[in-house]
Amino acid sequence: MGKQTMTLTNNITGDSYTYDILQSTRGPSVVDLRTFFRDTGMFTFDPGYTSTASCESKITFIDGAKGELRYRGIPIEKLALEHSYMETCYLLLNSRLPKDRELRDFDLEIRHRAYLHTGLCQLYDAFPDNAHPMATLSAAVTALSTFYNDHIEMNREEEYLEMAHRIISKIPTIAAFAYRHSLGIPFIQPDIALGFTENFLTMLRAYPGGKMRIGPYGEEKIKEIEIKALDTIFTLHADHEQNASTTVVRGVASTGAHPYVAISAGISALWGRAHGGANESVIAQLEYIGSVDRVDDFIKRVKDPNDDFRLMGFGHRVYKNFDPRAKILKKLQDQLKEELDLDSELMAVASRIEEIALNDEYFISRNLYPNIDFYSGIILTALKIPKSMFTPIFVIGRTVGWITQWIEFKKDRASKIARPRQLYTGD
Ligand code: ACO
């Protein structure tokens, strides 16, 4: 196909301007407006970036209308069902799935790097016991940059990968320590004998003592299904193209700051409840509703135009049909319900809301479907993970995506400092 263009005409002056249309490999094409200001003396206006492609990327693809999500071309359903989170990390960083030997080496390196400098561990003492783990996590990741100054100037592939492996492996330790600090209980160090996800659950749950104990009656093992469920949650969160927190990470990258500071900024952006903080809000809301007989009253509030009440875990800026990650988690939730013998009032409230929302005109006409956070909050509750750790768990899964996007930005010779303009309407 030859070059395609689009011509825009100013209806006052009659001037016309022609712009190239850039072809994507999947999804919408993009009008190249990079010279628009130079050509016309005007800016484009798109608050919230609803029509703006902020970069070129080869990492993740989403088709919101079809409910499709792919990492490096591979559908999320295949990754979640047939591959582990470690394989997904390797895929995002290296653009292909690992061979057996490569996976073994990668997994071992991630286990080795999970320990924190003792100086960094002391930082936690500076924070009050009741600090939210997201705040501590963001601060500790910024502090991590002080230990690795050499990650500022990187040119070789091995340097980028070492920097990425370090943050991916240390994030679960930093998150688990943030949680244990919030309870005022001793840290559990990583265990080199355990895989990524089991290690994190152990650091979160175990009791210190001569022999590592998960429960009071000896050495109870974490159930396989619990490890598989959390590993799947990490995989589903691993990347999501140019969402709010990733846009923040790229923005910080554009100024030349340290990569871990960019990740810390991404963590802060994720914390908000319109983004990753929604998983915590979902459970808080379900607990607030409390019982199935109160659901109808809350649905009435959602529909009332004079009430700002929103159902947490519903709606998405990009998915307007369904969130494919939510579909996978719905199945996992049903499986867990059976295998862990769960039958709580919280689940009953969640099922009733889901049932109403999927059949109600208000939700259907606005394309409001349960998103990933609706089910992840319920599953994490089933895994006995405390609410305050829901968003940190999102962080653990997403770190690989942020750092892969950071590296892609750095390698892109066309990248520029993020510097949008404005429509000034002040005095
Ligand atoms: N409950 C009730 N109504 C809603 C909801 C909701 N959760 N979400 C959107 N709406 C309604 C709005 O009131 C609006 O209705 P109107 O046209 O009558 O005014 C309409 O749907 C469109 O809403 P917008 O806010 O314009 O949609 P947008 O795409 O900007 O927002 C967002 C997406 C922020 C996710 C929104 O749906 C929301 O607040 N959801 C709840 C929080 C949540 O679950 N966030 C997690 C997102 S997934 C993630 O970050 C991992």
Side-chain angles (χ1 to χ4, degrees):
M1 204 191 316
K3 189 162 116 173
Q4 294 184 359
T5 57
M6 179 184 272
T7 298
L8 300 172
T9 304
N10 181 327
N11 293 329
I12 301 167
T13 63
D15 294 336
S16 285
Y17 307 92
T18 299
Y19 296 98
D20 288 348
I21 296 178
L22 308 177
Q23 299 302 329
S24 60
T25 46
R26 289 177 198 270
S29 316
V30 169
V31 186
D32 184 353
L33 291 177
R34 277 175 287 190
T35 61
F36 188 81
F37 175 59
R38 199 171 68 207
D39 298 341
T40 66
M42 286 187 278
F43 300 130
T44 58
F45 187 58
D46 185 18
Y49 310 130
T50 49
S51 296
T52 296
S54 63
C55 62
E56 184 181 333
S57 183
K58 294 181 166 53
I59 304 170
T60 292
F61 172 73
I62 301 173
D63 185 327
K66 285 194 200 147
E68 187 183 349
L69 168 63
R70 292 167 184 261
Y71 300 157
R72 301 287 189 191
I74 303 181
I76 192 67
E77 293 78 7
K78 185 171 167 58
L79 289 168
L81 294 179
E82 297 170 23
H83 298 280
S84 66
Y85 177 66
M86 279 293 96
E87 288 172 279
T88 304
C89 287
Y90 188 99
L91 168 72
L92 285 166
L93 287 168
N94 299 281
S95 312
R96 63 170 177 80
L97 283 164
K99 301 195 172 76
D100 289 351
R101 182 60 200 253
E102 290 167 331
L103 180 61
R104 256 203 319 275
D105 290 350
F106 178 66
D107 179 72
L108 191 60
E109 187 186 341
I110 297 295
R111 292 182 193 211
H112 266 286
R113 291 189 185 279
Y115 301 85
L116 302 186
H117 192 289
T118 48
L120 182 60
C121 296
Q122 285 164 22
L123 176 84
Y124 290 87
D125 291 338
F127 300 119
D129 282 355
N130 61 356
H132 192 287
M134 281 298 280
T136 312
L137 188 51
S138 173
V141 170
T142 291
L144 192 65
S145 68
T146 66
F147 294 88
Y148 301 103
N149 290 322
D150 53 337
H151 289 337
I152 287 266
E153 292 303 334
M154 289 173 287
N155 298 304
R156 290 181 299 117
E157 188 63 16
E158 304 87 79
E159 292 173 311
Y160 282 122
L161 288 178
E162 181 184 47
M163 175 280 294
H165 295 173
R166 222 169 229 149
I167 187 75
I168 291 166
S169 68
K170 290 189 195 307
I171 276 278
T173 315
I174 295 175
F177 286 10
Y179 171 63
R180 295 189 79 100
H181 174 76
S182 74
L183 297 182
I185 57 174
F187 299 156
I188 300 289
Q189 293 297 330
D191 183 347
I192 193 96
L194 301 179
F196 185 88
T197 303
E198 185 174 7
N199 205 1
F200 171 67
L201 276 173
T202 305
M203 287 190 285
L204 210 61
R205 282 193 196 167
Y207 293 83
K211 204 166 185 193
M212 190 64 62
R213 282 168 188 272
I214 299 295
Y217 309 113
E219 205 183 355
E220 282 173 29
K221 280 197 72 78
I222 293 171
K223 294 187 180 73
E224 264 316 306
I225 185 163
E226 295 181 287
I227 300 169
K228 172 65 192 152
L230 188 56
D231 204 76
T232 304
I233 286 183
F234 287 151
T235 298
L236 298 179
H237 284 101
D239 196 44
H240 214 226
E241 54 120 298
Q242 309 312 318
N243 56 83
S245 54
T246 302
T247 301
V248 166
V249 169
R250 280 186 179 256
V252 178
S254 79
T255 69
H258 193 287
Y260 297 169
V261 172
I263 300 296
S264 171
I267 293 170
S268 300
L270 190 81
W271 191 4
R273 64 193 206 133
H275 195 10
N279 54 14
E280 191 179 333
S281 306
V282 166
I283 296 301
Q285 196 170 74
L286 293 177
E287 285 170 352
Y288 179 66
I289 295 172
S291 62
V292 175
D293 56 352
R294 277 163 46 91
V295 169
D296 286 349
D297 288 346
F298 283 92
I299 297 288
K300 265 191 215 129
R301 283 190 60 189
V302 171
K303 295 187 196 174
D304 179 353
N306 299 316
D307 192 332
D308 286 341
F309 186 81
R310 280 191 173 202
L311 269 188
M312 289 292 115
F314 281 79
H316 197 276
R317 170 59 68 77
V318 180
Y319 295 120
K320 297 300 177 194
N321 184 333
F322 63 89
D323 179 342
R325 304 165 302 171
K327 254 193 168 175
I328 296 166
L329 285 189
K330 160 93 175 122
K331 270 198 199 138
L332 190 64
Q333 176 194 288
D334 294 344
Q335 199 187 341
L336 280 172
K337 204 172 167 189
E338 241 169 61
E339 298 200 24
L340 296 181
D341 200 19
L342 304 168
D343 195 11
S344 66
E345 185 67 20
L346 194 95
M347 279 213 165
V349 173
S351 303
R352 179 70 188 134
I353 291 177
E354 185 191 9
E355 188 188 323
I356 295 179
L358 291 176
N359 296 297
D360 188 293
E361 181 48 28
Y362 176 91
F363 292 88
I364 295 170
S365 63
R366 288 170 179 76
N367 298 312
L368 297 173
Y369 298 88
N371 59 43
I372 185 170
D373 292 318
F374 185 70
Y375 299 109
S376 69
I378 298 167
I379 292 175
L380 293 174
T381 305
L383 298 182
K384 299 195 274 300
I385 288 174
K387 254 194 325 249
S388 65
M389 282 307 285
F390 290 4
T391 317
I393 279 172
F394 195 151
V395 169
I396 295 172
R398 181 57 57 82
T399 297
V400 64
W402 285 330
I403 211 67
T404 307
Q405 300 267 354
W406 189 94
I407 294 171
E408 186 179 69
F409 181 91
K410 285 290 167 185
K411 288 182 175 171
D412 182 355
R413 294 186 149 268
S415 63
K416 280 173 162 304
I417 187 167
R419 180 48 171 103
R421 301 304 297 270
Q422 62 181 7
L423 171 65
Y424 180 71
T425 52
D427 289 336

